[in-house]
Amino acid sequence: MSSKYSNNLIKSADFIQSLERGLSVIQSFSTEHSTLTVSEAAAITNLSRPAIRRIFLTLESLGYLTSDNGRYALTAKVLSLGYAYLSSKNIWEIAHDPMDELVKQTGESTSISVLDHDEIVYVARIHTKRIMTMSLGVGSRLPAFATSMGQVLLAHLPSEELEEYFEQAILSSYTNHTITDKKQLIKQLEQIRKNGWSLAEQQFEEGLSSVAAPITNRNGEVIAAINISTHTGRNSRKEIKEKLIPLLLQTAQKISEDLARSPHPMNL
Amino acid sequence: MSSKYSNNLIKSADFIQSLERGLSVIQSFSTEHSTLTVSEAAAITNLSRPAIRRIFLTLESLGYLTSDNGRYALTAKVLSLGYAYLSSKNIWEIAHDPMDELVKQTGESTSISVLDHDEIVYVARIHTKRIMTMSLGVGSRLPAFATSMGQVLLAHLPSEELEEYFEQAILSSYTNHTITDKKQLIKQLEQIRKNGWSLAEQQFEEGLSSVAAPITNRNGEVIAAINISTHTGRNSRKEIKEKLIPLLLQTAQKISEDLARSPHPMNL
């Protein structure tokens, strides 16, 4: 598996720039920019207006965009790209039942995420309440260093990749509890690797704590993290350590064992 | 808004073939093909191996693919493409609470979908059980004619678009109850438009029935459908008509009204 932080340098003759640009145009749509004109997309992506125009026309003819009076919007066909990822992994087949069981045991929400550069990306989520915020869940991103899952994933990076992480990561302060000091963070990651779990109390959001544990593949490599998130006050630190963490570790082990048995060589 | 069935012919000079090919390569990964070699992807997409190789290298250098011994797999970064769609729409902001309320009232699951050619695409889903199968939900596709939501969406197509639909749709028989006769289906669609809802009993899957109603934008155009799906036997036809349909229509109206008030011009 190529390093997450390798530059992945390929010969320029092999690199298809128009594919890169097309994908970046899809990514330029967001909550703030639900529709875009050619000029607006050019401003966001730093591409020329003629380049954007051709990309818009191509994406529209392929059914990924619709237009109305010069304003473009993504269509539901874009979902089928993300769906290709989810259906190509057997994440759900394997993680669904153990995660559901964990929610029943704890009364708290649980998620699984993977590392993508300096962010974690949610790939599965089960909410306590029937209220299902997966659209706000799967595919969404958070800074790795300030979340329990991110810390677990960073703690298990090879040291050269962790160095590369720190070279590019911005350790912003999200709450009074965010660890923004590199040395302190490295010490924390060592402790997490030793413990086998991470507890992040209000480090990303006031009032929100979460515990995370690693999920491994058949070679014992950490490929994902699973967490339980809870509101501060609903569980004391003692309850988190005595009740939530043992259940979380059990679930992580169950999923890791099932992954090892799975016929898919690259599950996550 | 351009027709869903227009050929969207653009000047060939404007069409970026490598973007089309790159997106089709992403789509070639699936549950059956969770990893692909260059040769396998070439066979699925009908592209040459050198073309696939360049696309693989480009997608890998952009972080959308990883490789291991010549086998390629999608990464979680692909999810961010689908996430661009979901976050660019305020579907959840608007539909979440009414859908959740509907699940509480009925004890049944509810979904929203849109039409893409001859298929419906799920864009939101809330399950009865905490068990959340959104990965099997949002982005997944079903044949329009055999589902209650698809029938609602077809029933509100302009007649020329419905004609185009029938020209390309394959009316396969999924159960003994699937309506595969075009004339009978057209009659059914007229009835659905008159009623304002569709009831599809075991037309796609034995033992599964669903009712659907249209969701409209501020111009009164049908842009999506919402359904309640239930197991046959859990609700009699009488209960469906007297209890489920009125609650469904109420929910559809609430969402349509909220959409009309929303600042996003193209919500779904």
Side-chain angles (χ1 to χ4, degrees), chain B:
Chain B
M1 194 75 50
S2 64
S3 156
K4 283 178 193 71
Y5 295 102
S6 69
N7 280 312
N8 284 319
L9 283 174
I10 63 173
K11 276 184 289 180
S12 59
D14 285 329
F15 189 78
I16 307 167
Q17 197 180 44
S18 56
L19 178 54
E20 175 188 33
R21 289 176 167 183
L23 293 171
S24 76
V25 165
I26 292 176
Q27 304 260 22
S28 65
F29 290 87
S30 62
T31 310
E32 295 74 41
H33 303 287
S34 61
T35 65
L36 289 172
T37 62
V38 168
S39 308
E40 288 166 356
I44 292 174
T45 57
N46 276 320
L47 296 174
S48 71
R49 300 205 303 181
I52 293 288
R53 190 184 144 273
R54 285 186 64 204
I55 291 168
F56 271 5
L57 290 173
T58 302
L59 290 174
E60 186 177 23
S61 82
L62 295 172
Y64 291 100
L65 283 182
T66 53
S67 66
D68 191 11
N69 273 325
R71 297 206 71 83
Y72 287 79
L74 296 175
T75 72
K77 193 175 180 186
V78 173
L79 282 180
S80 58
L81 297 168
Y83 189 66
Y85 169 78
L86 289 170
S87 70
S88 74
K89 314 288 161 179
N90 48 355
I91 301 171
W92 269 103
E93 255 170 66
I94 288 172
H96 182 281
D97 289 354
M99 285 176 85
D100 192 52
E101 183 66 23
L102 185 63
V103 170
K104 279 182 190 141
Q105 289 168 336
T106 61
E108 302 291 346
S109 306
T110 176
S111 303
I112 291 180
S113 69
V114 298
L115 194 63
D116 182 30
H117 293 84
D118 55 342
E119 295 177 313
I120 57 167
V121 184
Y122 283 77
V123 297
R125 192 169 196 177
I126 298 191
H127 251 248
T128 5
K129 292 186 275 180
R130 197 157 44 202
I131 298 173
M132 194 266 308
T133 53
M134 182 133 166
S135 62
L136 310 168
V138 166
S140 66
R141 289 163 172 272
L142 291 179
F145 79 99
T147 61
S148 64
M149 288 191 284
Q151 289 169 0
V152 159
L153 294 166
L154 293 174
H156 290 87
L157 278 185
S159 56
E160 67 276 20
E161 290 193 21
L162 188 62
E163 243 344 286
E164 286 178 67
Y165 166 80
F166 278 118
E167 273 165 31
Q168 60 171 29
I170 297 158
L171 309 181
S172 306
S173 177
Y174 296 97
T175 70
N176 290 335
H177 306 276
T178 316
I179 304 171
T180 56
D181 179 66
K182 182 184 160 182
K183 272 194 188 151
Q184 203 189 331
L185 200 54
I186 288 178
K187 229 174 115 181
Q188 176 85 1
L189 296 179
E190 277 163 16
Q191 191 59 49
I192 289 166
R193 202 163 46 235
K194 220 174 287 174
N195 291 344
W197 48 264
S198 167
L199 166 60
E201 292 175 299
Q202 309 189 69
Q203 292 184 22
F204 184 67
E205 203 176 316
E206 295 285 353
L208 223 68
S209 292
S210 75
V211 278
I215 291 174
T216 54
N217 65 11
R218 69 184 73 185
N219 303 324
E221 295 157 349
V222 174
I223 51 168
I226 180 168
N227 86 342
I228 298 173
S229 61
T230 178
H231 284 282
T232 316
R234 204 155 56 210
N235 287 283
S236 67
R237 193 179 295 179
K238 190 167 176 289
E239 284 168 321
I240 289 177
K241 292 201 174 166
E242 291 179 1
K243 190 186 149 202
L244 297 189
I245 291 177
L247 290 169
L248 177 69
L249 292 173
Q250 235 171 53
T251 307
Q253 196 187 340
K254 172 90 179 69
I255 293 172
S256 301
E257 285 169 5
D258 290 351
L259 275 175
R261 266 187 245 108
S262 151
H264 294 250
M266 286 188 277
N267 319 72
L268 284 165

Side-chain angles (χ1 to χ4, degrees), chain A residues 18 92 96 104 125 132 135, chain B residues 18 92 125 131-132 135:
Chain A
S18 55
W92 270 103
H96 182 280
K104 279 182 190 142
R125 191 170 196 177
M132 194 266 307
S135 62
Chain B
S18 56
W92 269 103
R125 192 169 196 177
I131 298 173
M132 194 266 308
S135 62

Side-chain angles (χ1 to χ4, degrees), chain A residues 15 55 105 109 114 210 215 246:
Chain A
F15 189 76
I55 292 168
Q105 289 167 337
S109 306
V114 297
S210 75
I215 291 174

Side-chain angles (χ1 to χ4, degrees), chain A residues 60-94:
Chain A
E60 186 178 23
S61 83
L62 295 172
Y64 292 100
L65 284 181
T66 52
S67 66
D68 191 11
N69 273 325
R71 296 205 72 82
Y72 288 79
L74 296 175
T75 72
K77 193 174 179 186
V78 174
L79 281 179
S80 59
L81 297 168
Y83 188 68
Y85 169 77
L86 289 170
S87 71
S88 73
K89 314 288 162 179
N90 48 355
I91 301 172
W92 270 103
E93 255 169 67
I94 288 172

